[in-house]
Amino acid sequence: GESVGLHLPTLSVQEGDNSIINCAYSNSASDYFIWYKQESGKGPQFIIDIRSNMDKRQGQRVTVLLNKTVKHLSLQIAATQPGDSAVYFCAEFAPSNTGKLIFGQGTTLQVKP
Amino acid sequence: DVKVTQSSRYLVKRTGEKVFLECVQDMDHENMFWYRQDPGLGLRLIYFSYDVKMKEKGDIPEGYSVSREKKERFSLILESASTNQTSMYLCASSLRAVGGREQYFGPGTRLTVT
């Protein structure tokens, strides 16, 4: 079956550095991907999305890269701030999933002051 | 902004009790979802609904039921709570017109069953 996974459970970075969070997916039919941020005690919050017809999309301080050849997704956060400390989830959507998102396990980002 | 609200942030119930978790969204979304979130297991889909009075099982429906009598409200029911249902429960909604891809989440209900 399909699965979405993140390569590292915890990532620790220095404030001001760039962060890269990785995600692997296995369903080549997936055509839409989302990154969510979940702060402690809160529900997941949408950060950025990308469709399979794109390989890069930029938001405010965040960039998502999609490599369909190796089924890999990454989230880059520029100039990481203490407020970026959270758990980050990737999720994939395939039309065959009848509307369901498949979530990865999550990576905890810790920002050191 | 989409707003998804859940009736309780924290809930403590006893084994065997019937538990209702309520979720309301204010953006006229057709799709609504219930997940549970556990350490090391990520988000797992319990049930979802594409329309009023419609429901479909997710990956872990055992021990749960749902109700969708109105478009904006989706209820999760634990008929007889058990300790292994202690978890964080998250509700989400999405708009069918755009393929239902982007899901908006509520703040979650942390349920403890003793």
Side-chain angles (χ1 to χ4, degrees):
Chain A
E2 63 242 2
S3 65
V4 180
L6 295 169
H7 294 311
L8 292 174
T10 303
L11 176 66
S12 185
V13 300
Q14 204 71 38
E15 181 179 356
D17 287 352
N18 296 334
S19 304
I20 300 176
I21 301 171
N22 295 306
C23 180
Y25 65 96
S26 60
N27 188 352
S28 56
S30 293
D31 64 357
Y32 179 73
F33 305 86
I34 303 178
W35 280 100
Y36 284 94
K37 172 186 180 183
Q38 186 176 22
E39 296 175 274
S40 181
K42 297 183 180 180
Q45 179 184 9
F46 173 91
I47 303 173
I48 191 167
D49 60 359
I50 188 167
R51 299 190 181 276
S52 59
N53 60 355
M54 304 170 69
D55 53 19
K56 181 179 180 178
R57 189 160 188 227
Q58 288 185 292
Q60 188 176 13
R61 282 202 307 118
V62 295
T63 301
V64 56
L65 299 178
L66 176 62
N67 185 333
K68 294 181 288 295
T69 303
V70 295
K71 299 199 206 64
H72 183 269
L73 193 68
S74 69
L75 176 71
Q76 300 178 0
I77 304 173
T80 312
Q81 302 169 0
D84 295 326
S85 294
V87 177
Y88 290 82
F89 295 93
C90 62
E92 65 176 303
F93 181 95
S96 58
N97 287 354
T98 59
K100 295 185 289 184
L101 283 172
I102 307 297
F103 289 86
Q105 293 292 313
T107 291
T108 300
L109 177 65
Q110 297 174 340
V111 181
K112 297 178 288 187
Chain B
D1 281 350
V2 176
K3 192 165 185 183
V4 180
T5 57
Q6 295 182 228
S7 51
S8 305
R9 293 300 304 275
Y10 300 94
L11 211 52
V12 180
K13 295 291 182 181
R14 293 189 181 275
T15 301
E17 279 192 81
K18 190 169 186 175
V19 182
F20 293 87
L21 302 182
E22 304 286 341
C23 175
V24 177
Q25 49 91 9
D26 66 358
M27 283 302 289
D28 206 33
H29 284 178
E30 293 87 0
N31 305 334
M32 296 189 75
F33 306 82
W34 274 107
Y35 296 89
R36 64 177 284 176
Q37 184 177 31
D38 301 286
L41 298 176
L43 275 77
R44 293 182 292 168
L45 183 63
I46 305 172
Y47 266 98
F48 59 107
S49 169
Y50 289 133
D51 206 341
V52 175
K53 297 195 184 297
M54 289 182 63
K55 60 184 179 183
E56 292 198 32
K57 293 180 180 179
D59 301 318
I60 51 164
E62 296 78 19
Y64 303 95
S65 62
V66 290
S67 173
R68 185 127 182 241
E69 297 296 316
K70 294 184 177 181
K71 190 175 186 180
E72 68 272 16
R73 187 179 297 270
F74 193 34
S75 302
L76 180 69
I77 304 156
L78 287 65
E79 294 289 341
S80 179
S82 63
T83 55
N84 63 11
Q85 292 179 310
T86 291
S87 186
M88 168 70 93
Y89 289 88
L90 291 162
C91 175
S93 71
S94 67
L95 188 61
R96 190 191 302 158
V98 292
R101 289 166 169 79
E102 185 178 333
Q103 293 183 18
Y104 295 87
F105 284 84
T109 295
R110 186 165 291 282
L111 173 67
T112 302
V113 183
T114 61

